[in-house]
Amino acid sequence: MNQNSIAVDVENVVKRYDSVTALHGVSMDIREGEFFTLLGPSGCGKTTLLRCIAGFEDVTEGAIRLRGEDIAPLPPHRRPVNTVFQQYALFPHMTVLENVSFGLRRRGWIEMDAEARAREVLELVQLKDFAQRRPGQLSGGQQQRVALARALAPNPEVLLLDEPLSALDLKLRQAVRVELKQIQRETGIAFVFVTHDQEEALTMSDRIAVMSEGYVQQIGTPRDIYEAPLNRFVADFIGETNLLDVEVAAVSEGMAEVFLPGGLALRCPAAASAVAGRGHLSVRPERISIGPKSAETLPATVTDHVYLGTDIHLHARLVDGEPILVRMQNSESSGIPERGSELGLRFEAGAARLLVD
Amino acid sequence: MIKPLDLRRFTGFRALTILCLVVLYAPLIIVAIYSFNDSTSITRWGGFSLKWYVDVFTGPDAPKFRNAAINSFTIAIGAATCATIIATAAAVAMNRAGRFRGKVASLALINLPLMVPEIVTAVASLIFFITIGFKTGLMTIFIAHLVFCIPFAYLPISARMQSVPDVYEQAAMDLYATPWEAFRLILLPLMIPGILSGFLLAFIISLDDFLITNFVKGAGIETLPTAIFGSVKQGIKPNIMAISTLLLGVSVVFVTLSWFIGRAGQSKN
């Protein structure tokens, strides 16, 4: 299987309901064998897009192609994709084995083969001893794995996952992340994973599409998204960041010349379509260091600190009154600055990035 | 902390409750007790006996009651079965077909027989059958019963369907089931408690009906309620109490069964 060939090609998809537009011309390519995440807050259109791919919603405009074939005319039961639903939707009147072999039997597999394949997939998700149980007799985590096995059994061209971890508690969720990623790698099936949890997206995905209000904001690897956010929404939604109001003197070849509050000049990377004028600078709180005030540092006044064990959050104000957050590692050498004390902040190389508004 | 309102502390609440219960159930209890009376009097107690029950099955009125019972059960089973099928189809349309024109009107039409005074339905049915030249008899009773059984079957079936989220059918279709397979393999089995409950309710409503039956039945055709009414007109004999008690027993069993099945279905989810 070619890693770079396209599994799902979403082209300019618009989805309109009576009065609301859920998707405004969304485009993306999902590659074969890739763990692709649709990330965004609720109402951003990520689940709508997933349901369009599964066939539960019709697209108003645009096209979705599965391995090159337009799937618009196919009803859900004719599409070679399977879904892991948020609430699992395991059939309560069937055993685990019957649930997992359901898709195979509908595809015309004979009973014996369907059962053998179902057992094989149950082994993959480590539930082979639970074949004869009913879904109601399983824990949440086990149900989640049955749902995964059921969707994987027919060997779909693409597996769609609609926030499958959101019903699990935190500890379990973290364990399942690793497991899910591992299963994805073993099966080599392209996963389209919907979540609103940015940590989930960052830890599991090969690529992420950040969505908001029916638009794709940015598509890229977790590292791209975190370290080189394109715009304010992405920078703000992924992780914690400081958004500083700055004056942009010039932008050229991906670098910008900006003036920070207080007049300090800084040269930093800029998002592709950033322009001169007023702009916003994103600075991750863990990439700011503190020291004594000097001509090369950004002056700030400490307003508060929050002790978090591994980290200490330092809240400060710049000369123009803008708040800024600094995350310090908790080490023996680091004394906690007093409230009201004046400091100089220094941004690590490449820590600051000029965004498109 | 504010105590929840305790109804028992209202003056006269206990007395009122007892009065209601007595008015509702004392006649039933008296009929049931006197059905075991050894005496031919319906008001004086003459010792315990099962003779009126024996009389129902072997006495001079036995053939009349047997025919009426056969008619009643045949009609009840037939009407309840057809009503359940129609009500299930209606419930699918109302709960799974999304929005469509005339949905509210459809719901009103399905439930209308619950609201129209029974005597109006009875007269209207009779006039209708006469107008179209339909000979009154078992068939007219069956059709009339089918009509008023539908809403009784519909209510528990629809309630059950609302409690089955449609994501199950979506999951089935996602796993290559056609819409018909999704209904037959997933929705229908999950609806069984509601369907059984609806069937039993429709059955008992049909079995108990007197008014409409009395209008649309042909000459010489009796169901249990009309047969009992016919006998009462010639004076109340204790065997009427026995047969009434039997009918009451059947009703209680079926309604209880319907309730338990409905509840078992609820708790499974």
Side-chain angles (χ1 to χ4, degrees), chain A residues 241-246 256 258-269 280-292 294-300 314 316-320 322-327 343-354:
Chain A
T241 198
N242 292 295
L243 289 172
L244 303 181
D245 205 358
V246 294
V258 303
F259 291 103
L260 298 170
L264 184 70
L266 183 77
R267 210 172 133 72
C268 66
H280 280 90
L281 200 64
S282 162
V283 191
R284 297 289 181 193
E286 72 274 17
R287 300 189 65 181
I288 304 174
S289 54
I290 57 168
S294 75
E296 290 87 51
T297 61
L298 183 65
L314 206 63
R317 259 178 216 294
L318 303 181
V319 285
D320 64 347
E322 250 191 287
I324 188 164
L325 176 72
V326 179
R327 188 188 291 170
L343 308 163
L345 305 180
R346 196 186 290 273
F347 302 157
E348 286 173 27
R353 190 176 167 82
L354 184 66

Short mmCIF file of all heavy atoms in Angstrom, two decimals, chain A residues 241-246 256 258-269 280-292 294-300 314 316-320 322-327 343-354:
data_model
loop_
_atom_site.label_atom_id
_atom_site.label_comp_id
_atom_site.label_asym_id
_atom_site.label_seq_id
_atom_site.Cartn_x
_atom_site.Cartn_y
_atom_site.Cartn_z
N THR A 241 -1.16 29.47 25.14
CA THR A 241 -0.23 30.40 24.52
C THR A 241 -0.51 31.82 24.97
O THR A 241 -1.59 32.13 25.48
CB THR A 241 -0.28 30.29 22.99
OG1 THR A 241 0.89 30.88 22.45
CG2 THR A 241 -1.52 30.96 22.41
N ASN A 242 0.48 32.68 24.80
CA ASN A 242 0.29 34.10 25.03
C ASN A 242 0.11 34.74 23.67
O ASN A 242 0.90 34.49 22.74
CB ASN A 242 1.53 34.71 25.69
CG ASN A 242 1.69 34.19 27.11
OD1 ASN A 242 0.87 34.46 27.98
ND2 ASN A 242 2.77 33.43 27.33
N LEU A 243 -0.95 35.53 23.52
CA LEU A 243 -1.15 36.26 22.27
C LEU A 243 -0.86 37.73 22.56
O LEU A 243 -1.61 38.38 23.29
CB LEU A 243 -2.58 36.08 21.77
CG LEU A 243 -2.90 34.68 21.23
CD1 LEU A 243 -4.38 34.55 20.95
CD2 LEU A 243 -2.09 34.39 19.98
N LEU A 244 0.24 38.22 22.02
CA LEU A 244 0.64 39.60 22.31
C LEU A 244 0.33 40.49 21.12
O LEU A 244 0.59 40.13 19.97
CB LEU A 244 2.14 39.67 22.62
CG LEU A 244 2.62 38.78 23.77
CD1 LEU A 244 4.12 38.98 23.98
CD2 LEU A 244 1.87 39.10 25.05
N ASP A 245 -0.23 41.64 21.45
CA ASP A 245 -0.55 42.64 20.43
C ASP A 245 0.76 43.34 20.06
O ASP A 245 1.39 43.94 20.92
CB ASP A 245 -1.53 43.63 21.09
CG ASP A 245 -2.38 44.31 20.07
OD1 ASP A 245 -2.19 44.05 18.86
OD2 ASP A 245 -3.24 45.11 20.48
N VAL A 246 1.17 43.24 18.79
CA VAL A 246 2.46 43.84 18.43
C VAL A 246 2.33 44.69 17.17
O VAL A 246 1.36 44.57 16.42
CB VAL A 246 3.54 42.75 18.17
CG1 VAL A 246 3.86 42.01 19.44
CG2 VAL A 246 3.09 41.80 17.07
N ALA A 256 9.56 38.05 10.36
CA ALA A 256 8.93 39.35 10.58
C ALA A 256 9.78 40.17 11.54
O ALA A 256 10.50 39.63 12.39
CB ALA A 256 7.53 39.18 11.14
N VAL A 258 9.16 42.80 14.38
CA VAL A 258 8.05 43.34 15.17
C VAL A 258 8.55 44.15 16.36
O VAL A 258 9.69 43.97 16.81
CB VAL A 258 7.10 42.23 15.68
CG1 VAL A 258 6.55 41.40 14.54
CG2 VAL A 258 7.80 41.35 16.71
N PHE A 259 7.68 45.03 16.85
CA PHE A 259 7.98 45.78 18.07
C PHE A 259 7.04 45.34 19.18
O PHE A 259 5.83 45.40 19.03
CB PHE A 259 7.86 47.29 17.82
CG PHE A 259 8.94 47.79 16.92
CD1 PHE A 259 8.67 48.06 15.58
CD2 PHE A 259 10.23 47.98 17.40
CE1 PHE A 259 9.68 48.52 14.74
CE2 PHE A 259 11.23 48.43 16.57
CZ PHE A 259 10.97 48.71 15.23
N LEU A 260 7.63 44.88 20.27
CA LEU A 260 6.84 44.41 21.41
C LEU A 260 6.39 45.60 22.24
O LEU A 260 6.96 46.69 22.12
CB LEU A 260 7.70 43.48 22.27
CG LEU A 260 8.20 42.22 21.59
CD1 LEU A 260 9.23 41.53 22.47
CD2 LEU A 260 7.03 41.30 21.32
N PRO A 261 5.41 45.40 23.10
CA PRO A 261 5.03 46.50 24.01
C PRO A 261 6.26 46.94 24.79
O PRO A 261 7.02 46.12 25.29
CB PRO A 261 4.01 45.85 24.95
CG PRO A 261 3.50 44.68 24.19
CD PRO A 261 4.61 44.21 23.32
N GLY A 262 6.48 48.23 24.87
CA GLY A 262 7.68 48.74 25.52
C GLY A 262 8.76 49.07 24.51
O GLY A 262 9.80 49.62 24.84
N GLY A 263 8.52 48.69 23.24
CA GLY A 263 9.42 49.14 22.18
C GLY A 263 10.53 48.18 21.80
O GLY A 263 11.30 48.45 20.88
N LEU A 264 10.64 47.04 22.48
CA LEU A 264 11.71 46.10 22.15
C LEU A 264 11.48 45.50 20.76
O LEU A 264 10.38 45.06 20.43
CB LEU A 264 11.72 44.98 23.20
CG LEU A 264 12.85 43.95 23.07
CD1 LEU A 264 14.19 44.56 23.43
CD2 LEU A 264 12.56 42.75 23.95
N ALA A 265 12.52 45.51 19.96
CA ALA A 265 12.42 44.95 18.61
C ALA A 265 12.72 43.46 18.64
O ALA A 265 13.54 42.99 19.43
CB ALA A 265 13.37 45.65 17.67
N LEU A 266 12.02 42.67 17.77
CA LEU A 266 12.23 41.23 17.76
C LEU A 266 12.08 40.73 16.34
O LEU A 266 11.22 41.19 15.58
CB LEU A 266 11.17 40.56 18.65
CG LEU A 266 11.27 39.05 18.83
CD1 LEU A 266 12.38 38.70 19.81
CD2 LEU A 266 9.94 38.50 19.33
N ARG A 267 12.97 39.80 15.98
CA ARG A 267 12.86 39.18 14.67
C ARG A 267 12.36 37.77 14.90
O ARG A 267 12.92 37.04 15.72
CB ARG A 267 14.27 39.13 14.04
CG ARG A 267 14.25 39.19 12.53
CD ARG A 267 15.66 39.34 12.01
NE ARG A 267 15.87 38.39 10.90
CZ ARG A 267 15.31 38.55 9.71
NH1 ARG A 267 14.53 39.58 9.48
NH2 ARG A 267 15.54 37.67 8.75
N CYS A 268 11.25 37.40 14.24
CA CYS A 268 10.69 36.08 14.53
C CYS A 268 10.04 35.50 13.27
O CYS A 268 9.76 36.22 12.32
CB CYS A 268 9.65 36.20 15.64
SG CYS A 268 8.22 37.16 15.14
N PRO A 269 9.81 34.19 13.27
CA PRO A 269 9.14 33.58 12.13
C PRO A 269 7.70 34.10 12.02
O PRO A 269 7.10 34.45 13.03
CB PRO A 269 9.12 32.08 12.46
CG PRO A 269 9.98 31.91 13.65
CD PRO A 269 10.13 33.21 14.32
N HIS A 280 -0.67 39.80 15.85
CA HIS A 280 -0.57 39.08 17.11
C HIS A 280 0.60 38.11 17.08
O HIS A 280 0.85 37.43 16.10
CB HIS A 280 -1.86 38.31 17.40
CG HIS A 280 -2.92 39.20 17.95
ND1 HIS A 280 -3.82 39.85 17.14
CD2 HIS A 280 -3.21 39.57 19.22
CE1 HIS A 280 -4.63 40.58 17.89
NE2 HIS A 280 -4.28 40.43 19.16
N LEU A 281 1.30 38.11 18.19
CA LEU A 281 2.45 37.25 18.34
C LEU A 281 2.08 36.14 19.30
O LEU A 281 1.53 36.39 20.36
CB LEU A 281 3.59 38.09 18.94
CG LEU A 281 5.00 37.61 18.77
CD1 LEU A 281 5.36 37.59 17.30
CD2 LEU A 281 5.94 38.53 19.54
N SER A 282 2.34 34.90 18.91
CA SER A 282 2.07 33.79 19.82
C SER A 282 3.38 33.36 20.47
O SER A 282 4.37 33.12 19.78
CB SER A 282 1.48 32.62 19.03
OG SER A 282 1.60 31.42 19.78
N VAL A 283 3.36 33.31 21.81
CA VAL A 283 4.55 32.86 22.53
C VAL A 283 4.12 31.81 23.53
O VAL A 283 3.29 32.06 24.40
CB VAL A 283 5.24 34.02 23.30
CG1 VAL A 283 6.59 33.58 23.81
CG2 VAL A 283 5.34 35.26 22.46
N ARG A 284 4.64 30.59 23.38
CA ARG A 284 4.25 29.52 24.31
C ARG A 284 4.83 29.80 25.69
O ARG A 284 6.01 30.15 25.81
CB ARG A 284 4.79 28.17 23.80
CG ARG A 284 4.22 27.72 22.47
CD ARG A 284 2.78 27.30 22.59
NE ARG A 284 2.23 26.85 21.30
CZ ARG A 284 0.94 26.67 21.08
NH1 ARG A 284 0.06 26.91 22.04
NH2 ARG A 284 0.52 26.27 19.91
N PRO A 285 4.06 29.64 26.74
CA PRO A 285 4.52 30.01 28.08
C PRO A 285 5.74 29.22 28.55
O PRO A 285 6.51 29.72 29.36
CB PRO A 285 3.31 29.73 28.98
CG PRO A 285 2.31 29.04 28.15
CD PRO A 285 2.66 29.20 26.72
N GLU A 286 5.92 28.00 28.02
CA GLU A 286 7.08 27.22 28.49
C GLU A 286 8.37 27.63 27.79
O GLU A 286 9.43 27.12 28.11
CB GLU A 286 6.80 25.71 28.32
CG GLU A 286 6.82 25.20 26.89
CD GLU A 286 5.48 25.34 26.18
OE1 GLU A 286 4.63 26.12 26.67
OE2 GLU A 286 5.29 24.69 25.13
N ARG A 287 8.25 28.53 26.81
CA ARG A 287 9.46 28.91 26.08
C ARG A 287 9.87 30.35 26.37
O ARG A 287 10.52 31.01 25.58
CB ARG A 287 9.25 28.66 24.59
CG ARG A 287 8.95 27.17 24.36
CD ARG A 287 8.94 26.78 22.93
NE ARG A 287 10.24 26.94 22.33
CZ ARG A 287 10.48 26.68 21.04
NH1 ARG A 287 9.50 26.26 20.27
NH2 ARG A 287 11.69 26.85 20.55
N ILE A 288 9.45 30.81 27.53
CA ILE A 288 9.88 32.13 27.99
C ILE A 288 10.76 31.91 29.21
O ILE A 288 10.43 31.09 30.07
CB ILE A 288 8.67 33.01 28.39
CG1 ILE A 288 7.68 33.10 27.24
CG2 ILE A 288 9.12 34.37 28.86
CD1 ILE A 288 6.39 33.82 27.60
N SER A 289 11.91 32.60 29.26
CA SER A 289 12.72 32.48 30.48
C SER A 289 12.78 33.84 31.17
O SER A 289 12.56 34.88 30.54
CB SER A 289 14.12 31.98 30.13
OG SER A 289 14.69 32.80 29.15
N ILE A 290 13.00 33.78 32.47
CA ILE A 290 13.01 35.04 33.22
C ILE A 290 14.42 35.37 33.69
O ILE A 290 15.25 34.47 33.86
CB ILE A 290 12.05 34.99 34.43
CG1 ILE A 290 12.41 33.81 35.35
CG2 ILE A 290 10.61 34.87 33.98
CD1 ILE A 290 11.71 33.87 36.69
N GLY A 291 14.67 36.63 33.89
CA GLY A 291 15.97 37.06 34.38
C GLY A 291 15.87 38.51 34.82
O GLY A 291 14.77 39.07 34.85
N PRO A 292 16.98 39.10 35.16
CA PRO A 292 16.95 40.52 35.55
C PRO A 292 16.64 41.40 34.34
O PRO A 292 16.88 41.00 33.20
CB PRO A 292 18.37 40.77 36.08
CG PRO A 292 19.21 39.69 35.49
CD PRO A 292 18.34 38.52 35.23
N SER A 294 16.95 44.06 31.48
CA SER A 294 18.08 44.60 30.73
C SER A 294 17.56 45.17 29.42
O SER A 294 16.35 45.07 29.14
CB SER A 294 19.13 43.51 30.46
OG SER A 294 18.64 42.66 29.43
N ALA A 295 18.44 45.70 28.62
CA ALA A 295 18.01 46.33 27.37
C ALA A 295 17.47 45.32 26.38
O ALA A 295 16.66 45.64 25.51
CB ALA A 295 19.17 47.09 26.74
N GLU A 296 17.89 44.03 26.50
CA GLU A 296 17.45 43.02 25.52
C GLU A 296 16.24 42.21 26.01
O GLU A 296 15.86 41.26 25.35
CB GLU A 296 18.59 42.02 25.21
CG GLU A 296 19.74 42.59 24.43
CD GLU A 296 20.76 43.22 25.38
OE1 GLU A 296 21.17 42.53 26.33
OE2 GLU A 296 21.11 44.39 25.18
N THR A 297 15.72 42.53 27.16
CA THR A 297 14.60 41.74 27.66
C THR A 297 13.33 42.56 27.69
O THR A 297 13.37 43.79 27.61
CB THR A 297 14.87 41.21 29.08
OG1 THR A 297 15.04 42.34 29.94
CG2 THR A 297 16.08 40.30 29.13
N LEU A 298 12.22 41.83 27.76
CA LEU A 298 10.89 42.46 27.79
C LEU A 298 10.51 42.69 29.25
O LEU A 298 10.39 41.74 30.02
CB LEU A 298 9.89 41.52 27.12
CG LEU A 298 8.46 41.99 26.97
CD1 LEU A 298 8.37 43.19 26.04
CD2 LEU A 298 7.60 40.85 26.44
N PRO A 299 10.33 43.95 29.67
CA PRO A 299 10.04 44.19 31.08
C PRO A 299 8.62 43.75 31.47
O PRO A 299 7.69 43.93 30.68
CB PRO A 299 10.20 45.71 31.22
CG PRO A 299 10.04 46.26 29.84
CD PRO A 299 10.41 45.19 28.87
N ALA A 300 8.49 43.17 32.63
CA ALA A 300 7.18 42.73 33.11
C ALA A 300 7.13 42.78 34.63
O ALA A 300 8.16 42.70 35.29
CB ALA A 300 6.90 41.31 32.64
N LEU A 314 3.67 31.56 36.29
CA LEU A 314 3.92 32.92 36.73
C LEU A 314 3.04 33.85 35.91
O LEU A 314 3.10 33.86 34.68
CB LEU A 314 5.40 33.24 36.46
CG LEU A 314 6.07 34.28 37.31
CD1 LEU A 314 6.08 33.83 38.77
CD2 LEU A 314 7.49 34.49 36.81
N ALA A 316 2.14 37.61 34.86
CA ALA A 316 2.80 38.92 34.91
C ALA A 316 2.08 39.87 33.97
O ALA A 316 1.22 39.47 33.21
CB ALA A 316 4.26 38.78 34.50
N ARG A 317 2.44 41.16 34.08
CA ARG A 317 1.87 42.18 33.20
C ARG A 317 2.99 42.90 32.48
O ARG A 317 4.02 43.21 33.06
CB ARG A 317 1.07 43.20 34.02
CG ARG A 317 -0.40 42.94 33.93
CD ARG A 317 -1.20 43.91 34.77
NE ARG A 317 -2.33 43.20 35.33
CZ ARG A 317 -3.34 42.70 34.61
NH1 ARG A 317 -3.35 42.85 33.29
NH2 ARG A 317 -4.32 42.04 35.17
N LEU A 318 2.76 43.19 31.19
CA LEU A 318 3.74 43.96 30.43
C LEU A 318 3.49 45.44 30.72
O LEU A 318 2.51 45.81 31.38
CB LEU A 318 3.58 43.67 28.93
CG LEU A 318 3.73 42.19 28.56
CD1 LEU A 318 3.59 42.03 27.06
CD2 LEU A 318 5.07 41.65 29.03
N VAL A 319 4.35 46.29 30.18
CA VAL A 319 4.23 47.73 30.47
C VAL A 319 2.90 48.30 30.00
O VAL A 319 2.37 49.24 30.58
CB VAL A 319 5.40 48.54 29.86
CG1 VAL A 319 6.65 48.33 30.68
CG2 VAL A 319 5.61 48.19 28.40
N ASP A 320 2.33 47.73 28.92
CA ASP A 320 1.04 48.25 28.46
C ASP A 320 -0.14 47.59 29.18
O ASP A 320 -1.29 47.80 28.80
CB ASP A 320 0.90 48.07 26.94
CG ASP A 320 0.89 46.61 26.55
OD1 ASP A 320 1.24 45.76 27.40
OD2 ASP A 320 0.54 46.29 25.40
N GLU A 322 -0.83 44.39 29.35
CA GLU A 322 -1.25 43.09 28.83
C GLU A 322 -0.75 41.96 29.73
O GLU A 322 0.42 41.97 30.14
CB GLU A 322 -0.65 42.89 27.43
CG GLU A 322 -1.69 42.95 26.34
CD GLU A 322 -1.13 42.50 25.01
OE1 GLU A 322 -0.33 43.25 24.40
OE2 GLU A 322 -1.47 41.39 24.61
N PRO A 323 -1.60 41.00 30.04
CA PRO A 323 -1.14 39.88 30.88
C PRO A 323 -0.28 38.91 30.07
O PRO A 323 -0.47 38.77 28.86
CB PRO A 323 -2.44 39.22 31.32
CG PRO A 323 -3.42 39.56 30.26
CD PRO A 323 -3.02 40.87 29.68
N ILE A 324 0.64 38.28 30.73
CA ILE A 324 1.47 37.25 30.07
C ILE A 324 1.70 36.12 31.06
O ILE A 324 1.80 36.35 32.27
CB ILE A 324 2.79 37.86 29.54
CG1 ILE A 324 3.55 36.84 28.69
CG2 ILE A 324 3.67 38.35 30.69
CD1 ILE A 324 4.64 37.47 27.83
N LEU A 325 1.70 34.90 30.52
CA LEU A 325 1.88 33.72 31.36
C LEU A 325 3.24 33.09 31.07
O LEU A 325 3.60 32.92 29.90
CB LEU A 325 0.76 32.72 31.06
CG LEU A 325 0.83 31.38 31.80
CD1 LEU A 325 0.51 31.55 33.27
CD2 LEU A 325 -0.12 30.37 31.17
N VAL A 326 3.96 32.77 32.13
CA VAL A 326 5.26 32.11 31.97
C VAL A 326 5.20 30.80 32.74
O VAL A 326 4.76 30.77 33.88
CB VAL A 326 6.40 32.98 32.53
CG1 VAL A 326 7.74 32.28 32.38
CG2 VAL A 326 6.42 34.35 31.88
N ARG A 327 5.59 29.73 32.07
CA ARG A 327 5.61 28.44 32.79
C ARG A 327 7.05 28.09 33.10
O ARG A 327 7.87 27.88 32.22
CB ARG A 327 4.98 27.36 31.94
CG ARG A 327 4.81 26.06 32.71
CD ARG A 327 4.36 24.93 31.84
NE ARG A 327 2.99 25.11 31.39
CZ ARG A 327 2.43 24.34 30.45
NH1 ARG A 327 3.11 23.38 29.88
NH2 ARG A 327 1.18 24.55 30.08
N LEU A 343 10.76 42.06 36.32
CA LEU A 343 11.66 41.08 35.68
C LEU A 343 11.89 41.44 34.24
O LEU A 343 11.17 42.24 33.66
CB LEU A 343 11.01 39.69 35.67
CG LEU A 343 10.45 39.05 36.90
CD1 LEU A 343 9.54 37.94 36.45
CD2 LEU A 343 11.59 38.53 37.72
N GLY A 344 12.86 40.76 33.66
CA GLY A 344 13.02 40.85 32.22
C GLY A 344 12.69 39.48 31.63
O GLY A 344 13.17 38.46 32.09
N LEU A 345 11.82 39.45 30.59
CA LEU A 345 11.46 38.18 29.96
C LEU A 345 12.27 38.03 28.69
O LEU A 345 12.51 38.99 27.95
CB LEU A 345 9.97 38.15 29.62
CG LEU A 345 9.00 38.42 30.77
CD1 LEU A 345 7.57 38.35 30.26
CD2 LEU A 345 9.22 37.42 31.90
N ARG A 346 12.66 36.80 28.43
CA ARG A 346 13.44 36.53 27.23
C ARG A 346 12.76 35.36 26.50
O ARG A 346 12.44 34.36 27.11
CB ARG A 346 14.87 36.13 27.65
CG ARG A 346 15.89 36.19 26.54
CD ARG A 346 17.20 35.64 27.06
NE ARG A 346 17.83 36.55 28.05
CZ ARG A 346 18.64 37.55 27.71
NH1 ARG A 346 18.90 37.78 26.46
NH2 ARG A 346 19.17 38.28 28.65
N PHE A 347 12.49 35.54 25.18
CA PHE A 347 11.89 34.46 24.40
C PHE A 347 12.98 33.60 23.81
O PHE A 347 13.93 34.12 23.24
CB PHE A 347 11.02 35.02 23.25
CG PHE A 347 9.92 35.94 23.71
CD1 PHE A 347 9.38 36.87 22.85
CD2 PHE A 347 9.43 35.85 25.01
CE1 PHE A 347 8.36 37.71 23.27
CE2 PHE A 347 8.41 36.69 25.44
CZ PHE A 347 7.88 37.63 24.57
N GLU A 348 12.85 32.31 23.92
CA GLU A 348 13.81 31.40 23.28
C GLU A 348 13.77 31.61 21.77
O GLU A 348 12.75 32.06 21.24
CB GLU A 348 13.44 29.95 23.58
CG GLU A 348 13.74 29.51 24.99
CD GLU A 348 13.20 28.12 25.27
OE1 GLU A 348 13.08 27.34 24.29
OE2 GLU A 348 12.90 27.84 26.43
N ALA A 349 14.85 31.22 21.11
CA ALA A 349 14.90 31.37 19.66
C ALA A 349 13.73 30.62 19.03
O ALA A 349 13.48 29.47 19.35
CB ALA A 349 16.22 30.83 19.12
N GLY A 350 12.99 31.27 18.18
CA GLY A 350 11.87 30.62 17.48
C GLY A 350 10.64 30.43 18.35
O GLY A 350 9.67 29.84 17.90
N ALA A 351 10.65 30.91 19.60
CA ALA A 351 9.50 30.70 20.48
C ALA A 351 8.33 31.58 20.08
O ALA A 351 7.18 31.19 20.23
CB ALA A 351 9.90 30.99 21.92
N ALA A 352 8.64 32.77 19.57
CA ALA A 352 7.58 33.70 19.19
C ALA A 352 7.28 33.53 17.71
O ALA A 352 8.15 33.20 16.91
CB ALA A 352 8.02 35.13 19.48
N ARG A 353 5.99 33.70 17.38
CA ARG A 353 5.59 33.50 15.99
C ARG A 353 4.47 34.47 15.66
O ARG A 353 3.49 34.58 16.40
CB ARG A 353 5.12 32.06 15.83
CG ARG A 353 4.91 31.68 14.41
CD ARG A 353 4.52 30.22 14.30
NE ARG A 353 4.04 29.99 12.96
CZ ARG A 353 4.83 29.77 11.94
NH1 ARG A 353 6.13 29.71 12.11
NH2 ARG A 353 4.31 29.62 10.73
N LEU A 354 4.66 35.17 14.54
CA LEU A 354 3.65 36.14 14.12
C LEU A 354 2.52 35.40 13.40
O LEU A 354 2.76 34.57 12.52
CB LEU A 354 4.27 37.18 13.19
CG LEU A 354 3.31 38.29 12.76
CD1 LEU A 354 2.90 39.16 13.95
CD2 LEU A 354 3.95 39.15 11.66
#
